[in-house]
């Protein structure tokens, strides 16, 4: 729960206070009330806030919460914890920012209010955890807190809206909390970080507007020539989605990535991404691998300790055909950097333009290969022993992913990477083979420049066999039987035949038999486009011949 006094409330300095209890929300949990007071203001949304808001309104079944768990020092009192949280809320405006009004929202930084913090026994915290992790609305305080105890206070759990913090922002919050209970003289000096309202004002400057506009042009240009889907595969099996989630921990992979990165003068994660993209391209038969990554957008010094959301999509067009692996790594590196440079944009305008590209090409951008570099620059404990490599399977609920490659740790000691894949499209053994095959390729590439024709033998990954119904049209693999079925599923269509016309570039032409007063060529195309998002192996025909059916 939270209560606020609005952006114009008087500010008398920060005076956190400890409360005796909080309302129960369906369970009995004593707690404290953290009161905060600091200057309030309002301003426009940042591009990244607008991006999260677009996702909130347009994407179903997506988790927009960010979670953080911080062990508390031995002997910390409730009052000391209240003071820590009070300073946190006063110092980071994002944590006391709501978006209002609903129809044309702005950032509203609250000048004062209260944060109710639950305190629960570890063994009976399940109801409180459910309340903690429920979705946020844009108009509510974007932070919740819960403290677990087994007598003494043990762990602080924070839940934040993605509007208030991305993963990097949550790490800044964690560092600030940990440093708050260090002696004042030992805390590292920190440059003043920009606040979200300030970031929005910067983004309205002419140079930043030009940068955002260039990003839109980059996306439109790229999506006009790349495959619409990396995993245009035979239609998945019906039934409930099953997610395969495998995690690989390997010292050999870390050493190999370092060797390749040094030789090719790229980052370690770029070496891993190039290897995985090469294997996906090999399996699917694509010359280009389209990857949606997350651009952190924190290269400016004043954004290093920014608490807020800055992350947006970066669209990578990675070449995966060449003579040697080193050649691919060196060609992919500038493509990766270019994608990150174009990772800040107006989300609503972007997706409007992406839709326009699909209408012109008769395609849909599936965003089915995602890459997340989730490393914390601070590193983590526990080095693997020389030669150690371990793969384990995790039980993870599907959130609609097709293929997600994550890098969790990558340093001189160990690499920790994972792969999540839709089990209806990719069998478990292929998911494991892609992870271990990537490791073998990187380890081999540590000591030599691997010729690309040798990659199948090195990795065990070989091209998917496609039948005569599969055609490469406008850089996309298309199953003509899927195109026919796309038409047959439309109301008023009695029969359909698909032909290809090799006029320069192959085109799909459809001969469609329709019921009386049935669909027209224009309405057929519109209806096909509307149904394309569930059919990555289909494409909308460019021409239609409509034939009346028997009366």
């Amino acid at each position: 729960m939270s209560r606020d006094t609005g952006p114009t409330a008087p500010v008398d300095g920060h005076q956190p206070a400890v409360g005796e209890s909080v309302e129960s929300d369906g369970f009995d949990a004593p707690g404290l009330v953290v009161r905060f007071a600091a200057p309030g203001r309002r301003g426009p949304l940042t591009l990244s806030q607008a991006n999260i808001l677009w996702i909130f309104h347009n994407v179903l079944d997506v988790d927009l919460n960010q979670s953080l768990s911080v062990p508390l020092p031995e002997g910390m009192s409730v009052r000391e914890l209240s003071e820590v949280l009070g300073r946190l809320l006063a110092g980071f405006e994002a944590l006391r920012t709501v978006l209002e009004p609903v129809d044309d929202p702005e950032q509203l930084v609250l000048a004062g209010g209260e944060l109710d913090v639950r305190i629960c026994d570890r063994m009976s915290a399940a109801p409180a955890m459910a309340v903690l992790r429920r979705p946020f609305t844009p108009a509510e305080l974007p932070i919740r807190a819960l403290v677990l105890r087994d007598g003494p206070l043990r762990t602080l759990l924070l839940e934040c809206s993605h509007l208030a913090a991305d993963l990097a922002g949550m790490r800044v919050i964690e560092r600030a909390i940990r440093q708050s209970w260090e002696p004042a003289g030992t805390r590292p000096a920190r440059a003043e970080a920009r606040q979200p309202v300030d970031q929005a004002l910067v983004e309205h400057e002419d140079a930043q507007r030009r940068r955002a506009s260039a990003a839109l042009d980059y996306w439109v240009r790229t999506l006009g020539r790349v495959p619409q889907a990396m995993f245009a595969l035979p239609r998945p099996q019906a039934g409930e989605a099953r997610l395969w989630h495998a995690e690989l921990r390997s010292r050999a992979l870390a050493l190999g990535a370092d060797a390749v990165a040094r030789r090719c003068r790229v980052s370690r994660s770029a070496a891993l991404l190039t290897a995985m993209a090469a294997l996906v391209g090999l399996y699917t038969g694509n010359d280009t691998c389209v990857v949606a990554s997350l651009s952190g957008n924190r290269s400016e010094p004043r954004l290093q300790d920014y608490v807020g959301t800055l992350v947006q999509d970066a669209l990578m067009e990675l070449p995966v055909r060449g003579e040697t692996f080193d050649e691919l790594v060196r060609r992919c590196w500038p493509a990766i950097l270019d994608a990150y440079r174009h990772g800040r944009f107006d989300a609503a305008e972007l997706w409007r333009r992406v839709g326009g590209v699909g209408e012109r090409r008769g395609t849909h951008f599936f965003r089915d290969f995602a890459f997340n570099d989730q490393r914390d620059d601070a590193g983590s404990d526990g080095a693997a022993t020389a030669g150690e490599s371990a793969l384990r399977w995790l039980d993870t609920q599907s959130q609609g992913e097709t293929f997600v490659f994550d890098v969790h740790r990558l340093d001189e000691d160990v690499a920790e990477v994972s792969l999540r894949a839709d089990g209806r499209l990719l069998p478990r053994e292929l998911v494991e083979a892609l992870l271990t095959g990537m490791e073998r390729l990187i380890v081999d590439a540590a000591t030599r420049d691997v010729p690309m024709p040798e990659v199948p033998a090195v990795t065990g990954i070989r091209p998917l066999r496609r039948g005569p119904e599969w055609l490469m049209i406008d850089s996309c693999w298309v199953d003509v039987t899927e195109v026919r079925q796309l038409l047959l599923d439309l109301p008023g269509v009695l029969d359909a035949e698909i032909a290809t016309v090799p006029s320069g570039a192959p085109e799909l032409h459809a001969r469609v038999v329709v019921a009386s007063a049935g669909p027209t060529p224009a309405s057929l195309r519109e209806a096909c486009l509307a149904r394309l998002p569930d059919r990555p192996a289909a494409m909308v025909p460019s021409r239609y011949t409509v034939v009346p059916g028997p009366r």
Side-chain angles (χ1 to χ4, degrees):
M1 288 186 58
S2 63
R3 293 175 286 277
D4 68 80
T5 55
T8 58
V11 179
D12 300 320
H14 170 61
Q15 295 179 340
V18 177
E20 296 297 329
S21 64
V22 295
E23 298 176 18
S24 67
D25 268 359
F27 60 90
D28 183 20
L32 63 95
V33 176
V34 177
R35 296 191 178 95
F36 59 89
R41 53 178 174 161
R42 67 171 63 237
L45 301 185
T46 67
L47 290 172
S48 296
Q49 285 173 326
N51 179 60
I52 297 298
L53 199 59
W54 185 93
I55 295 171
F56 178 83
H57 290 302
N58 293 278
V59 181
L60 300 177
D61 300 325
V62 62
D63 184 1
L64 292 177
N65 283 18
Q66 298 284 318
S67 303
L68 179 63
S69 175
V70 184
L72 296 175
E74 191 71 31
M76 171 164 272
S77 70
V78 171
R79 181 172 295 279
E80 288 170 333
L81 178 60
S82 176
E83 291 172 352
V84 168
L85 292 175
R87 286 194 296 269
L88 196 74
L89 285 157
F92 295 127
E93 291 184 2
L95 302 182
R96 49 189 172 91
T97 295
V98 299
L99 304 189
E100 294 181 350
V102 175
D103 54 346
D104 187 20
E106 288 185 310
Q107 298 186 65
L108 183 64
V109 183
L110 302 178
E114 297 176 349
L115 173 67
D116 291 341
V117 182
R118 315 286 181 175
I119 301 177
C120 295
D121 185 82
R122 285 179 182 273
M123 305 305 294
S124 58
M129 295 281 285
V131 173
L132 179 79
R133 290 179 175 162
R134 66 190 177 193
F136 289 89
T137 65
E140 68 177 303
L141 196 72
I143 182 171
R144 301 189 191 110
L146 173 67
V147 177
L148 302 181
R149 70 187 310 165
D150 54 10
L153 306 183
R154 294 298 187 189
T155 307
L156 171 65
L157 302 179
L158 291 182
E159 198 81 0
C160 290
S161 166
H162 211 320
L163 286 164
D166 52 23
L167 178 60
M170 294 297 284
R171 287 171 175 162
V172 175
I173 292 170
E174 181 179 10
R175 289 196 297 271
I177 292 172
R178 290 180 181 275
Q179 290 169 4
S180 69
W181 52 64
E182 295 175 358
T186 65
R187 297 174 194 169
R190 304 173 70 89
E192 183 180 354
R194 190 177 293 160
Q195 302 281 8
V197 171
D198 303 317
Q199 175 63 18
L201 298 177
V202 169
E203 290 174 357
H204 278 71
E205 295 173 357
D206 289 344
Q208 295 299 319
R209 286 178 179 270
R210 287 193 296 269
R211 175 183 173 182
S213 178
L216 298 176
D217 295 339
Y218 167 88
W219 276 70
V220 169
R221 209 168 44 244
T222 302
L223 289 178
R225 61 178 179 247
V226 298
Q228 65 169 340
M230 289 310 302
F231 294 94
L233 305 175
R235 182 185 283 247
Q237 300 175 358
E240 186 177 353
R242 170 65 188 267
L243 184 74
W244 298 124
H245 189 180
E247 182 179 80
L248 176 67
R249 177 183 171 89
S250 168
R251 176 165 172 78
L253 182 60
L255 295 173
D258 185 67
V260 172
R262 289 176 182 274
R263 187 172 69 239
C264 297
R265 297 185 178 182
V266 303
S267 71
R268 296 184 184 109
S269 63
L272 296 193
L273 176 57
T274 301
M276 183 59 76
L279 296 188
V280 169
L282 173 63
Y283 177 74
T284 61
N286 286 289
D287 294 338
T288 299
C289 204
V290 184
V291 180
S293 184
L294 292 178
S295 178
N297 293 319
R298 288 177 178 262
S299 58
E300 297 177 49
R302 289 195 64 189
L303 295 178
Q304 296 294 313
D305 290 330
Y306 178 90
V307 172
T309 186
L310 289 169
V311 68
Q312 289 189 255
D313 267 0
L315 179 68
M316 298 179 178
E317 179 186 5
L318 304 183
V320 292
R321 290 289 182 269
E323 295 295 323
T324 69
F325 182 63
D326 279 14
E327 176 193 337
L328 287 195
V329 173
R330 292 189 177 103
R331 290 171 60 201
C332 284
W333 178 236
I336 291 169
L337 295 179
D338 202 28
Y340 286 137
R341 278 193 292 266
H342 295 96
R344 185 180 290 165
F345 45 76
D346 179 333
E349 178 62 15
L350 174 76
W351 292 108
R352 187 189 70 79
R353 293 200 191 184
V354 169
V357 173
E359 290 176 8
R360 290 192 295 274
R361 292 184 77 194
T363 59
H364 174 79
F365 173 46
F366 281 85
R367 198 188 179 277
D368 55 353
F369 183 160
F371 170 68
N372 297 322
D373 188 345
Q374 299 184 342
R375 292 174 296 163
D376 185 353
D377 292 338
S380 57
D381 296 328
T385 59
E388 178 185 345
S389 180
L391 185 140
R392 63 171 182 153
W393 294 92
L394 305 176
D395 186 12
T396 306
Q397 185 175 359
S398 172
Q399 293 191 23
E401 306 97 324
T402 300
F403 189 91
V404 182
F405 177 44
D406 292 312
V407 175
H408 305 285
R409 182 181 175 188
L410 183 56
D411 52 37
E412 63 277 5
D413 293 321
V414 68
E416 294 176 358
V417 299
S418 68
L419 192 57
R420 289 172 280 155
D422 186 344
R424 298 171 303 168
L425 281 171
L426 303 174
R428 176 178 167 135
E429 56 269 22
L430 177 59
V431 174
E432 180 172 349
L434 286 167
L435 269 179
T436 57
M438 176 202 65
E439 180 188 31
R440 286 196 291 269
L441 176 56
I442 290 292
V443 170
D444 196 0
T447 56
R448 69 179 184 124
D449 186 6
V450 180
M452 291 306 294
E454 296 183 18
V455 169
V458 170
T459 65
I461 300 297
R462 288 174 170 79
L464 172 72
R465 292 184 179 180
R466 297 184 187 268
E469 70 276 12
W470 287 94
L471 301 172
M472 178 66 78
I473 299 177
D474 192 13
S475 303
C476 304
W477 278 111
V478 178
D479 180 349
V480 293
T481 62
E482 277 290 290
V483 179
R484 180 173 183 267
Q485 191 61 50
L486 176 66
L487 286 159
L488 291 176
D489 289 344
L490 300 180
V493 173
L494 304 178
D495 198 6
E497 296 177 359
I498 306 298
T500 57
V501 180
S503 54
E507 294 182 352
L508 290 176
H509 289 197
R511 182 180 183 274
V512 187
V513 180
V514 301
S516 57
T520 64
S523 66
L524 284 171
R525 180 175 174 80
E526 182 179 357
C528 285
L529 281 167
R531 288 165 173 77
L532 201 57
D534 293 327
R535 302 169 191 257
M539 177 183 277
V540 174
S542 56
R543 296 186 185 180
Y544 302 81
T545 299
V546 177
V547 179
R551 295 182 178 273

